[in-house]
Amino acid sequence: MKYVSLIIQSVPLIETGKFKEAVEKIDKLMKSNLSKIQLYPNRQILFFHKVIALNNCGNRIEALNLIDELIEEGLNEKIEISVLNYKFIILLGLRRYDDAEEMIDLILDKDPENHLTLLNEALFLYKIGCKEDAAEAFEDLLNETNEKLSKFKEMMFPENIWNMELTQVFERIRSPKEFLNMELTDMLMQKSAIHERLHQYKEELECLNQILELNPKHLRAWNMKGYVLAHLGKYDEALKCVNKSLELYSRDTYSLDIKGFILAHSGKPDDALKYYQKALEIDSLFEEAYYHKGEAHKELKQYTEALQCFKKVLELNPYCERAKEDIEQISGQNQDIS
């Protein structure tokens, strides 16, 4: 099992924001003389981890090219759906909405009941403004996710010890801790994403706290926790959380955007602007950062700059209704600005 352990070593590096180190680790393994690493599907799994790391450090085109190479050579059935779903994520990040929609349709043709694909479809509907359809889908997915978590607990943990500390639970079962961590973390991350879209922030916070108990250095959990706490009005605590995520990876655009969001909503829109700008210098396609930057300019009555940001949002996502509303409001109140 040593080679399996080597293959999954890149996962904690990715989860803790060490994306470049993950790529270096994978490249080193691929050049090694360990024959089992080179075997199909082990090599594909490693390449898939490299795709995830590349995308997270902003190299979307390189990640897309690598994922297309994987698809072209023929995917192992164990990872096919995961790889295709991740291609959807990359296409969405590149704002290639038509291609992203085609990818979702392709995956659903292969596996109509795949939970991750249905979640991505709901996120896509939300992104393009079909919010009622998305909300209905999220509600259904939340029920399914809760069922999955319940079955996971029944299968993996002895009766009556679910309320124990997770570290104690892992000592009482035979399965390797890292595999259980990954599976449980994935389910909790999906559940937290659904709660966020349904504006169920207290429930989302519970999921994120469980993830951080499993992995205290989980980058996404820290920045999402900061975002949730900001929505709950706990700005000081939110700032501490997002600072922890930036300690893990200082160039994480989501964390930079969320820090700006926290500062803006705690009455410091001027301070927020520099974090939005830094996020956009790293990722010029980051729609949310443009929108939040526009909100901050609007709060500061810098209407020309706000209008530029909201127009950029519409360039990236023509479906964004809130940007259209802001443009109409600013243009209506300030007819000399266009």
Side-chain angles (χ1 to χ4, degrees), residues 121-301:
E121 183 183 40
L123 291 169
F124 180 75
L125 289 170
Y126 188 91
K127 191 77 172 174
I128 63 173
C130 302
K131 294 191 176 178
E132 289 184 9
D133 291 339
E136 185 178 341
F138 285 131
E139 290 284 1
D140 291 340
L141 286 163
L142 183 58
N143 292 332
E144 290 177 20
T145 305
N146 285 333
E147 287 178 14
K148 283 177 67 180
L149 279 166
S150 178
K151 288 178 181 178
F152 182 87
K153 289 182 283 187
E154 289 172 7
M155 178 179 67
M156 303 307 299
F157 304 132
E159 191 176 357
N160 298 326
I161 68 165
W162 180 246
N163 292 326
M164 293 173 58
E165 291 293 322
L166 286 173
T167 51
Q168 293 176 293
V169 172
F170 283 125
E171 290 172 3
R172 303 247 331 242
I173 55 179
R174 294 181 179 178
S175 299
K177 181 178 175 179
E178 61 265 29
F179 289 103
L180 292 173
N181 270 357
M182 286 188 288
E183 188 170 354
L184 184 54
T185 297
D186 284 347
M187 284 190 280
L188 288 169
M189 285 297 289
Q190 289 179 27
K191 190 170 187 285
S192 67
I194 296 167
H195 283 308
E196 183 175 315
R197 295 305 181 185
L198 293 172
H199 308 294
Q200 297 170 347
Y201 297 117
K202 290 182 180 178
E203 293 86 347
E204 182 180 3
L205 187 59
E206 289 177 10
C207 290
L208 295 171
N209 283 336
Q210 288 182 62
I211 292 168
L212 290 168
E213 187 180 337
L214 291 163
N215 181 359
K217 293 185 177 181
H218 197 290
L219 174 70
R220 290 285 166 256
W222 278 120
N223 61 37
M224 288 172 69
K225 184 175 179 179
Y227 184 68
V228 170
L229 287 168
H231 276 286
L232 294 172
K234 299 179 179 180
Y235 300 114
D236 290 342
E237 194 177 344
L239 205 55
K240 289 177 183 176
C241 290
V242 78
N243 283 340
K244 284 186 179 181
S245 67
L246 286 168
E247 286 173 13
L248 291 167
Y249 185 46
S250 63
R251 288 176 56 83
D252 184 61
T253 53
Y254 293 101
S255 299
L256 291 165
D257 177 56
I258 291 167
K259 184 163 185 176
F261 179 88
I262 295 166
L263 290 168
H265 284 257
S266 59
K268 301 174 184 176
D270 204 18
D271 291 340
L273 286 172
K274 65 181 179 181
Y275 290 99
Y276 297 139
Q277 186 59 37
K278 188 171 181 179
L280 291 168
E281 286 169 4
I282 296 168
D283 182 0
S284 62
L285 300 178
F286 195 178
E287 176 192 331
E288 288 295 318
Y290 277 114
Y291 184 79
H292 290 149
K293 187 170 184 280
E295 280 188 317
H297 282 303
K298 184 179 171 185
E299 180 68 21
L300 293 164
K301 303 187 187 309

Side-chain angles (χ1 to χ4, degrees), residues 37-66:
I37 291 289
Q38 305 295 337
L39 289 177
Y40 175 91
N42 299 336
R43 190 176 64 83
Q44 288 200 335
I45 294 170
L46 269 178
F47 271 162
F48 181 39
H49 290 175
K50 183 175 180 178
V51 166
I52 296 171
L54 287 169
N55 186 57
N56 274 281
C57 60
N59 298 331
R60 292 196 187 99
I61 298 300
E62 188 178 351
L64 185 62
N65 290 338
L66 185 54

Side-chain angles (χ1 to χ4, degrees), residues 319-334:
Y319 305 101
C320 186
E321 291 299 324
R322 58 182 181 170
K324 293 176 185 177
E325 291 168 4
D326 280 306
I327 290 171
E328 288 176 7
Q329 183 186 19
I330 292 171
S331 300
Q333 294 175 351
N334 304 271

